[in-house]
């Protein structure tokens, strides 16, 4: 159901010829109102793609009427010409759907450093605007795929209102978001301020805690659009919970479909002196290439977990660290605990638990294993 | 020639049965004086192996008479029992060579979290002490190998004096050192203070700028021992230059032999506002898995360089970044520059140059590509 699960939204996806494969590569999401309130979160990478720079400005007044998204080219590191391409994309979309260009957010994903074929793109915009429908959410979700093997959608139902969303992201997944484009929609009534608070809270513990390969993108964008067409204004906390549920669902789909991944790894840090400490340790463990290789090989190599913890500035005593892998406490007091032979790593899901024994805070970071397929995809595919 | 290139040193290597393969796995280096001045640099990982904790204490008075090194087990994360094993190792070595246990540094490398077989190890210490010789440097260098495909030695000749060294290290190479054990020897006369300053300056721009896989070890140790037997006391700057030359040579051998590497990558950052900025950017580029995959596939994907630069806090303007790959400025002003088709990546050596255009400082970081073989070695070998 994707972005059209909520009332008041139309969407569509077409092949504009941006991808050589001829697959769908251009998506459009339109908010028909009555509200156009919106919120967004963007990459924290200082090298930001032209569409990110544009969409930040569009969102400054808390209003978005339409989002146009293309795969087949990131329009990042493309200089003043790339910025002009984004402006033209927004203007063409605005004309096609009858809104102002300053109400149109733009998202692009694909190869960095290459200009978009604007002739094909603008023709595609007209084509997708002609095919908008209340059932178009699936096509839009398909059109934003890059190396994704499946398209990703999620929905959470409120009491008379709905939050829906679509995401793309497969490689370059890291904090400060990932190579992800996410559009969330709701027919709830909510101000831009409420949407912004809900989105930031939801992203903080979902997309921002996905760390596939430690690499941060130039194009990450998460947008939340509210049409208000349900006529229901849920409590902010209730809305936040629904947005969080959709983000959580999509974030897990991103990790599950990460390039070349054969294991989904959940790193939970307990007993931290602060949430920041828990996140720092979780990220360090989740980013450790050696551990990710070991888990790929179904080797419960807890020494690599301790090595990773040791590189952080978190509060802990090296001689009081406990580590469990899939529930078996293989490390106790910084040394060998239960037998590693008890650990079963044959399944796809792996749970690494670190107890810092230094406080009451915790956090979970999601990642995946490092595989030969990851190397192959990223040495063969120029993205 | 290794650690016995300098006068006043004896060394040897034996098979103590620590490795199942039966390969050499125990090395001993003895300083016969007249001086026993020494300096050392250890891992900055907060989880430190028992031998690292021991050797730090031994070195507190600037004196080392012997170094005993084993492969086949890191003795890291082994609790109080592991600390006791290290103490027994030093005591047995001290007795075998006729010095005090507080003059014996201990280094271990191999699997984390497993106790050493002390019966074999102590018998091996007696055996290697019986075979010490002025030609034993090569055997010692071979005995400290883990996944190294070749042993690593280097020598620099001064005017009447010499600096020699051996190193092991293949995976888990990262700043704050690597999974490396390095022993350097010189027959120059120098105080512990002069040796310490020389070693720190040399390590800072060599071993500390090697970043193979971003993973930092629990056991890294670099020791410099001076026998003074040449009777020559070189100027500190001259001694530092020789120590630097040996460290540089060994550091490059480590990168060249990194697990599964098919490309050696030199990342040079120019135009930085400070050396710290240059190093931060260099490390971020050197650690980017996506770039390392691309270079493995001989794809001059400069967008991934910009993505990596963008994650740092260094001073730069995203629209004024220049990047060259093997001398071709494929990125100018943060956008496409010369044609990427001009870049030849077929050779083993790759030069990535980043110009931040924000100052006069520079730095170089060495790394290697990310390959399917790296994944294989580290998922199959429990280290």
């Amino acid at each position: 159901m994707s972005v059209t699960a909520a009332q008041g939204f139309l969407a569509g996806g077409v092949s504009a010829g941006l991808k050589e494969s001829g697959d769908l590569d251009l998506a459009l999401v339109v908010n028909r109102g009555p509200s156009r309130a919106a919120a967004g979160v963007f990459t924290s990478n200082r090298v930001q793609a032209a569409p990110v720079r544009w969409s930040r400005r569009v969102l400054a007044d808390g209003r978005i009427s339409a989002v146009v998204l293309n795969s087949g080219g990131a329009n990042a590191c493309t200089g003043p010409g790339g910025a002009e391409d984004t402006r033209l994309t927004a203007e063409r979309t605005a004309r096609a759907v009858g809104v102002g260009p300053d109400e149109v957010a733009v998202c692009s994903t694909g190869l960095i450093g290459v200009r978009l074929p604007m002739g094909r793109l603008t023709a595609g915009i007209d084509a997708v605007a002609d095919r908008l429908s209340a059932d178009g959410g699936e096509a839009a979700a398909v059109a934003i795929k890059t190396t994704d093997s499946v398209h990703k959608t999620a929905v959470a139902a409120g009491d008379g209102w709905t939050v829906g969303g679509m995401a793309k992201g497969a490689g370059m997944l890291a904090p400060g978001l990932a190579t992800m484009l996410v559009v969330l929609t709701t027919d709830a009534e909510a101000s831009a301020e409420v949407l912004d608070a809900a989105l930031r809270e939801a992203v903080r513990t979902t997309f921002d805690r996905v760390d596939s390969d430690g690499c941060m993108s130039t194009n990450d964008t998460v947008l939340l659009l509210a049409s208000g067409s349900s006529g229901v204004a849920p409590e902010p906390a209730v809305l936040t919970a629904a947005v969080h549920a959709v983000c959580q669902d999509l974030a897990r789909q991103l990790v599950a479909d990460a390039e070349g991944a054969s294991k989904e790894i959940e790193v939970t840090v307990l007993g931290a002196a602060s949430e920041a400490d828990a996140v720092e340790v979780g990220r360090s463990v989740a980013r450790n290439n050696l551990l990710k290789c070991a888990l790929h090989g179904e080797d419960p190599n807890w020494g690599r977990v301790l090595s990773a913890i040791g590189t952080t500035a978190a509060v802990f005593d090296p001689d009081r660290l406990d580590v469990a892998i899939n529930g078996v406490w293989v490390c106790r007091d910084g040394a060998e605990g239960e037998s590693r032979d008890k650990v079963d790593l044959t399944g796809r899901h792996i749970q690494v638990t670190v107890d810092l024994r230094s406080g009451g805070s915790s956090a979970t970071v999601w990642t995946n294993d490092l595989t030969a397929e990851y190397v192959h995809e990223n040495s063969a595919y120029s993205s």
Side-chain angles (χ1 to χ4, degrees), chain A residues 255-324:
Chain A
V255 172
D257 193 34
E259 286 169 349
S262 70
K263 303 283 187 189
E264 297 164 41
I265 304 166
E266 190 173 339
V267 180
T268 297
V269 180
L270 309 172
S274 66
E275 186 177 341
D277 270 13
V279 172
E280 183 186 359
V281 169
R283 282 204 207 294
S284 181
V285 172
R287 283 186 176 186
N288 190 276
N289 279 349
L290 287 169
L291 177 66
K292 288 151 72 92
C293 288
L295 295 178
H296 173 57
E298 304 186 349
D299 169 14
N301 195 321
W302 58 268
R304 292 175 178 177
V305 178
L306 262 67
S307 278
I309 299 169
T311 65
T312 71
V315 176
F316 69 83
D317 174 347
D319 294 327
R320 282 171 48 85
L321 291 171
D322 294 344
V323 175

Side-chain angles (χ1 to χ4, degrees), chain A residues 10-335:
Chain A
L10 300 177
V14 297
S15 171
L18 310 176
K19 285 180 181 164
E20 285 183 16
S21 62
D23 291 341
L24 300 190
D25 51 21
L26 186 65
L28 180 58
V29 181
V30 174
N31 183 354
R32 303 181 71 198
S35 166
R36 265 82 180 187
V41 176
F42 301 91
T43 181
S44 57
N45 198 307
R46 290 170 61 202
V47 174
Q48 303 197 334
V52 169
R53 297 184 192 192
W54 172 271
S55 297
R56 276 186 193 282
R57 284 196 300 268
V58 164
L59 197 60
D61 65 355
R63 243 180 93 85
I64 292 178
S65 295
V67 186
V68 58
L69 310 93
N70 73 275
S71 51
N75 197 11
C77 307
T78 43
E84 179 67 8
D85 292 343
T86 292
R87 192 179 62 77
L88 292 172
T89 300
E91 286 178 357
R92 185 70 164 238
T93 304
R95 204 179 316 145
V97 302
V99 300
D102 58 348
E103 298 170 67
V104 178
V106 181
C107 301
S108 299
T109 181
L111 186 61
I112 296 175
V114 177
R115 294 282 296 275
L116 293 169
M118 288 305 294
R120 294 181 191 177
L121 183 58
T122 50
I125 289 169
D126 295 343
V128 73
D130 280 345
R131 294 201 209 164
L132 289 171
S133 86
D135 300 321
E138 292 293 318
V142 171
I144 60 175
K145 285 170 56 184
T146 53
T147 56
D148 304 67
S149 68
V150 293
H151 66 285
K152 288 114 182 162
T153 67
V155 174
D159 188 8
W161 53 277
T162 298
V163 178
M166 65 179 184
K168 91 98 208 170
M172 214 189 242
L173 297 173
L177 309 188
T179 304
M180 59 174 66
L181 299 181
V182 179
V183 179
L184 308 170
T185 57
T186 182
D187 43 23
E189 281 185 4
S191 67
E193 291 70 30
V194 167
L195 294 175
D196 186 67
L199 185 62
R200 284 181 194 282
E201 175 58 22
V203 166
R204 190 178 70 82
T205 56
T206 57
F207 296 122
D208 266 353
R209 298 212 178 148
V210 167
D211 196 326
S212 173
D213 59 8
C215 298
M216 191 196 294
S217 154
T218 50
N219 288 56
D220 300 327
T221 303
V222 182
L223 299 173
L224 170 59
L225 282 58
S227 69
S229 72
S230 69
V232 182
E235 283 297 311
V238 175
L239 178 62
T240 299
V243 173
H244 185 273
V246 172
C247 289
Q248 178 97 302
D249 190 340
L250 291 172
R252 291 200 175 169
Q253 292 181 53
L254 293 179
V255 172
D257 193 34
E259 286 169 349
S262 70
K263 303 283 187 189
E264 297 164 41
I265 304 166
E266 190 173 339
V267 180
T268 297
V269 180
L270 309 172
S274 66
E275 186 177 341
D277 270 13
V279 172
E280 183 186 359
V281 169
R283 282 204 207 294
S284 181
V285 172
R287 283 186 176 186
N288 190 276
N289 279 349
L290 287 169
L291 177 66
K292 288 151 72 92
C293 288
L295 295 178
H296 173 57
E298 304 186 349
D299 169 14
N301 195 321
W302 58 268
R304 292 175 178 177
V305 178
L306 262 67
S307 278
I309 299 169
T311 65
T312 71
V315 176
F316 69 83
D317 174 347
D319 294 327
R320 282 171 48 85
L321 291 171
D322 294 344
V323 175
I325 299 180
N326 278 358
V328 180
W329 290 92
V330 285
C331 172
R332 289 279 193 196
D333 292 326

